[in-house]
Amino acid sequence: MTIYQQTRAVIEELGCKVNLKPGSIIVVGCSTSEVLGSKIGTNSNPDTAKEIFDALHEYVKENGYYLAVQCCEHLNRAIIVERAAVPFAEPVNVVPQPKAGGSLATQAYAGFTDPVAVEEIKADAGIDIGLTLIGMHMKKVAVPVRLENNRIGEALIVAARTRPKFIGGTRAVYDEHLL
């Protein structure tokens, strides 16, 4: 399978396993270096990023979700997202590049209709391609999602969804639809 096909399989499987509603935000961190079998941060590849972005972006548009792409540590893991997804967020001024932000964030900035960079986001679900540590951009409480499609290229995939916190004590009753 191609990188595009592998990515599409991952996002579709996540979509089937997670109860997302229109307007939900899916955060993605990605090391194209890891996808290509190199150590993270050593082989950033715009062509690989384009295949991954195209698969993710097409899927979220088809389903009424938003894609949020995490930049690399050189931009403090800032997020590139469509402005409409974060109408009250305070934008920061940065344009990601393959070696300062990462190839996928660079592709997202070029491919979104109205991109904005923000320092943080609270996403409803996430895909971590190559162990890039997306947890800081997930809502509390993050719950692992086991995927059969757990690789894109050579990169390991870790996925998660979120659920509302449980509050209360022994007398509390919880909405099963929110679990």
Side-chain angles (χ1 to χ4, degrees), residues 10-157:
V10 166
I11 189 79
E12 286 177 357
E13 184 180 355
L14 180 69
C16 287
K17 290 185 172 184
V18 176
N19 184 24
L20 296 174
K21 295 176 179 32
S24 293
I25 298 172
I26 301 172
V27 65
V28 176
C30 176
S31 168
T32 56
S33 300
E34 291 280 335
V35 171
L36 295 173
S38 300
K39 182 182 171 197
I40 193 168
T42 63
N43 191 18
S44 192
N45 189 290
D47 294 331
T48 300
K50 180 159 179 26
E51 285 189 68
I52 293 168
F53 177 78
D54 287 348
L56 296 171
H57 195 230
E58 288 169 13
Y59 179 83
V60 298
K61 285 172 51 178
E62 290 166 9
N63 290 280
Y65 309 142
Y66 289 106
L67 177 63
V69 177
Q70 177 181 272
C71 295
C72 74
E73 64 184 286
H74 296 99
L75 296 185
N76 297 325
R77 301 201 196 305
I79 293 290
I80 307 302
V81 65
E82 290 282 7
R83 189 178 307 271
V86 290
F88 302 107
E90 184 177 344
V92 294
N93 187 359
V94 70
V95 178
Q97 304 297 307
K99 292 286 190 181
S103 288
L104 187 62
T106 302
Q107 186 63 48
Y109 198 88
F112 284 155
T113 302
D114 187 15
V116 63
V118 296
E119 288 188 285
E120 60 185 21
I121 199 165
K122 297 297 179 193
D124 302 289
I127 300 171
D128 188 325
I129 305 169
L131 308 178
T132 61
L133 304 175
I134 61 168
M136 65 191 283
H137 293 300
M138 302 283 298
K139 289 179 182 174
K140 297 177 183 175
V141 170
V143 178
V145 177
R146 307 270 186 245
L147 300 178
E148 289 181 32
N149 295 292
N150 60 7
R151 284 193 183 269
I152 296 175
E154 298 298 316
L156 291 173
I157 304 300

